[in-house]
Amino acid sequence: MTVRILLVDDQPLVRAALSMVVKDAPDLEIVGEAGNGDEAVRLAAELAPSVIVMDIRMPGMDGIEATRLITSGPSTAHVLVLTTFDDDEYVYGALRAGASGFLVKDMGLEEILAAVRVVAAGEALLAPRVTRRLIADLTARPAPGSSRPPLALTAITEREQEVLTLIGRGLSNTEIAEHLHLSVTTIKTYVTRLLSKLDARDRVHLVILAYEAGLVTASR
């Protein structure tokens, strides 16, 4: 299935560079381009893209607000933030708004296209240094006031809770499989179940839920 991409960036040269690379990828297609958040919201509704590659700092509506409007509406598009700036305010703002990925523009073009494919498949993807900071920040915060997990966690099994805890610690599927002595395929099945049962957008959302449930703290 072809991944339909909407490019959102106020720099025409950035959009042109990505478009040139996408043309050589048979499984990817640029269906539209936007130079600001307002255009992005409108085109997301009109063009039904699979993935929206979204800049943050743009004139008028910024990428974070555009992401929030798109992900909270009827669109099924996944938003992959691609920006020059990776400070914490932008990272957390984008994730809270519903972005499925966060990359910085100093990554190679082929790496960016690989990230588009990952996000299109429903997975989450963060630049490695962003992932490390997110996990470190969440685990360094004080544990939630209540020691009892939210009601939603009562719907998952003990094994699923184990998997969720390890996801919250930042482990990959392969690392979780090795830790629990299970196959990677089995772990993928558990992750799919967790996404469904907890109504989570993606893996990043699962990390946040693990923290909020008290499964991941500074000491664990």
Side-chain angles (χ1 to χ4, degrees), residues 26-109:
D27 60 327
L28 305 177
E29 175 189 8
I30 303 292
V31 297
E33 297 184 15
N36 58 57
D38 294 290
E39 292 179 0
V41 174
R42 176 175 59 81
L43 292 178
E46 293 178 3
L47 303 176
S50 313
V51 174
I52 301 173
V53 179
M54 181 82 73
D55 191 15
I56 287 184
R57 294 181 62 174
M58 297 180 288
M61 184 187 296
D62 66 18
I64 292 178
E65 178 62 12
T67 297
R68 187 187 67 78
L69 291 175
I70 291 168
T71 59
S72 63
S75 174
T76 58
H78 299 284
V79 177
L80 174 62
V81 170
L82 178 63
T83 180
T84 306
F85 309 94
D86 72 335
D87 62 70
D88 292 347
E89 179 182 354
Y90 288 142
V91 173
Y92 302 142
L95 296 179
R96 284 193 297 266
S100 295
F102 193 105
L103 302 180
V104 287
K105 289 179 180 176
D106 60 4
M107 297 181 68
L109 290 174

Side-chain angles (χ1 to χ4, degrees), residues 152 155-157 160 192-200:
I156 68 176
T157 66
E160 288 166 347
T192 300
R193 289 176 184 169
L194 285 168
L195 290 170
S196 176
K197 289 184 176 182
L198 300 179
D199 194 26

Side-chain angles (χ1 to χ4, degrees), residues 3 46 73 80 109 119 124 126 178 204 213 220:
V3 177
E46 293 178 3
L80 174 62
L109 290 174
V119 170
L126 302 178
E178 293 174 354
V204 175
R220 288 188 293 167

Side-chain angles (χ1 to χ4, degrees), residues 85-181:
F85 309 94
D86 72 335
D87 62 70
D88 292 347
E89 179 182 354
Y90 288 142
V91 173
Y92 302 142
L95 296 179
R96 284 193 297 266
S100 295
F102 193 105
L103 302 180
V104 287
K105 289 179 180 176
D106 60 4
M107 297 181 68
L109 290 174
E110 289 299 331
E111 290 180 288
I112 294 172
L113 295 191
V116 168
R117 295 184 178 98
V118 169
V119 170
E123 298 289 337
L125 189 146
L126 302 178
R129 66 176 182 262
V130 173
T131 302
R132 289 193 293 270
R133 291 214 314 269
L134 173 65
I135 300 300
D137 180 76
L138 289 177
T139 57
R141 296 180 186 181
S146 172
S147 61
R148 187 176 65 182
L151 181 62
L153 289 191
T154 63
I156 68 176
T157 66
E158 184 176 345
R159 177 64 87 181
E160 288 166 347
Q161 184 166 308
E162 283 185 276
V163 173
L164 180 60
T165 300
L166 295 174
I167 290 173
R169 294 177 185 171
L171 274 64
S172 68
N173 286 348
T174 300
E175 291 169 332
I176 295 173
E178 293 174 354
H179 185 86
L180 297 179
H181 306 290

